[in-house]
Each structure stands twice: as structure tokens, then as C-alpha cells.
Amino acid sequence: MTVKQLFEKIRNAKYNTALTGAGVSTLSGIRDFRGKNGLYNEMDAEKIFDISYFKKDPSFYYKASASLIYGLDEKTPSIVHNVLAELEKQGYLKALITQNIDLLHEKAGSKNVIEIHGSPRIHYCMRCSGGNNPEVCMPFDEAAKIVLAGGLPKCPKCASILKPDITFFGESLPVNALRDATIESQKSDLMLVLGTSLTVFPAASMPQYTLRHGGEIVIVNNMSTPMDSEAVFRFDDLEEVFCEIKELLFLHKN
Ligand code: ZN
């Protein structure tokens, strides 16, 4: 199995999608929350993203995640983010399902991104609720400015501290995103499974939906996954694979 064969598979697929996990973000210098060198091992990270704790003291989340989430402006998309955006642009990728909450796929230019663990793109008021009501929503950039200056983003109506739309522990995952991700997975005749250990559900179900509907999966991850034996191609090194895909894309274009 070569990357060239993988590239041909991508080009010939009718409906290719990707599922990305923490391994894609770590290439941009973002710490893995759960992995081997994950944040959870050394700090109160469980507490940062715990909904009952957030309700008690939302300032803890904002203080603890200031650089982690709101300093993301300094982070740039990796070669994997960039090549995935280019694949979509050239019509070789229909949808991108991600477990990451760092907005780097959007930053790289990907359009059809489904964030199954939520997103800090918006902040909403839990009290006035209606997460879709623009009156009580604050976009990431505005919230980041406040948080990085040491403040707390507050509801303009009731002055409650806003919550990011990231899915916290103790909250259910976003229903619409999960539905969309499931539909895309079932439609896929090829799914690229990138930088995820496939141990967190329901993300880990997505490639199973693809297989069950007759599609194929490709796994690129630096650790083994429970679905390795079911992958049509299996690679270890994300950076290496995507460098080569980038070259092949370039050659193919010219
Ligand atoms: Zn409010």
C-alpha cells in the first residue's frame, strides 16, 4: 500500500469524507486533551470542561482555557488541515467530521465541517437560552478579546456569563451535528480516519456506519485503533502521508 494508491482511491471515490481527531491538532502544536501526553494527566482539565462545575464557577473555565482555547489565533493550520481544505476545493472531499474544537479546519478553508464535540465559534447565554438567538450569542473573536484581556464574556440582556458552544462533560452532544455526521458517514464510499484512536463514542461509530453501508475506510494514526483490521489502507505518519498527497495533488492539477 502506497500513498499513491491511496491518492488514486481518493480520486476515484464517489463520496469521500474524513473524520479527524486530536492527532490532527497536535501537528499545529495543540495539546491533546486525552492522549498519552494529554492535559488531563497534569491539570484540572476534567474540571475545565465539566458542566456542573461551569455552572458553579464559570470563571474557572475562562481562566484555565484562556491560552488553550482563546489563544488559538496564534495557532496555524497544519499540512493535514490545508490539504483537506484543498481536497474539498477540488471536489475530492464532501464532508469533514471533526472531534476537535480548535476551529483550525475552518481556518484552513474547509467549508463543510461538522463539529461533533461542539465549537467555541459561538458563546451563548444559558439563562436566556435559545442558542440560536443572535441577541444572546457572541462570536469567538469577540469573546476571545474579552477573555484574553482577563474579562468574562457576559450576556448583554441579563449579564450572565456566557457558555462556549463546546460540549462539556455532562452535556449531550449536539443533535444536529451528530445527525449530519451519521448521514455523511453512511453516504461515504470512502472515509479517511485521521489522527483519532477511535475509542471515544459516538465519533468511533462513524467509520462503522461507512463500513456497514458498503464503504471503505482508511486509517492514518500513530497508535493502533480497534478498527485497524477493517481498514483498506493503514498508515502511521499523518504528516508524511499528507506531504505526499499534497505533491500528488499538485502534479495532478498541472
Ligand atoms: Zn442572558
Side-chain angles (χ1 to χ4, degrees):
M1 64 187 168
T2 64
V3 177
K4 209 169 171 192
Q5 287 171 308
L6 169 60
F7 183 66
E8 285 311 309
K9 209 166 218 349
I10 292 171
R11 281 189 53 216
N12 292 324
K14 286 194 179 69
Y15 205 94
N16 175 33
T17 58
L19 170 69
T20 65
V24 171
S25 290
T26 48
L27 292 177
S28 289
I30 291 168
R31 305 277 306 277
D32 182 354
F33 293 127
R34 296 174 216 256
K36 211 168 41 200
N37 302 306
L39 278 170
Y40 288 163
N41 298 328
E42 63 185 69
M43 58 188 285
D44 272 344
E46 292 273 7
K47 220 161 88 182
I48 301 178
F49 296 106
D50 183 296
I51 189 62
S52 52
Y53 201 80
F54 183 87
K55 284 176 178 166
K56 258 182 262 163
D57 178 15
S59 69
F60 178 76
Y61 158 80
Y62 283 107
K63 274 177 210 143
S65 70
S67 71
L68 195 69
I69 304 283
Y70 300 94
L72 284 173
D73 258 0
E74 299 157 23
K75 305 290 184 195
T76 50
S78 71
I79 184 156
V80 181
H81 296 108
N82 290 328
V83 171
L84 286 171
E86 187 58 31
L87 284 170
E88 184 186 20
K89 211 170 137 195
Q90 294 195 28
Y92 298 133
L93 186 72
K94 303 295 185 204
L96 209 166
I97 302 161
T98 188
Q99 298 171 256
N100 301 333
I101 52 167
D102 49 41
L103 307 174
L104 284 173
H105 286 301
E106 288 89 339
K107 217 178 197 179
S110 287
K111 300 283 181 246
N112 191 12
V113 182
I114 303 167
E115 296 165 302
I116 53 176
H117 289 173
S119 166
R121 189 184 311 110
I122 62 161
H123 289 65
Y124 67 96
C125 178
M126 294 178 87
R127 196 197 242 168
C128 301
S129 86
N132 294 321
N133 183 349
E135 272 182 79
V136 287
C137 277
M138 189 183 282
F140 177 81
D141 290 347
E142 201 180 319
K145 231 178 263 168
I146 296 169
V147 175
L148 292 174
L152 297 166
K154 288 182 182 157
C155 175
K157 271 193 170 170
C158 73
S160 300
I161 296 168
L162 301 178
K163 183 190 169 286
D165 203 18
I166 298 165
T167 308
F168 279 33
F169 295 108
E171 283 188 303
S172 46
L173 293 168
V175 177
N176 291 347
L178 272 187
R179 186 204 52 213
D180 292 349
T182 304
I183 292 170
E184 293 294 348
S185 303
Q186 292 172 342
K187 273 206 264 185
S188 307
D189 61 342
L190 181 66
M191 177 184 272
L192 311 176
V193 180
L194 311 171
T196 167
S197 53
L198 293 177
T199 49
V200 181
F201 284 88
S205 313
M206 299 306 158
Q208 288 173 0
Y209 293 141
T210 299
L211 289 170
R212 230 178 280 160
H213 283 74
E216 293 179 316
I217 62 167
V218 171
I219 295 177
V220 191
N221 194 47
N222 61 4
M223 285 183 276
S224 64
T225 85
M227 292 184 72
D228 285 353
S229 62
E230 288 165 89
V232 59
F233 289 122
R234 170 77 177 84
F235 299 93
D236 289 321
D237 194 323
L238 268 170
E239 218 166 356
E240 216 175 273
V241 168
F242 275 79
C243 275
E244 214 173 320
I245 293 179
K246 188 183 176 183
E247 279 169 33
L248 291 164
L249 258 177
F250 183 76
L251 286 174
H252 177 72
K253 220 174 155 184
N254 291 282

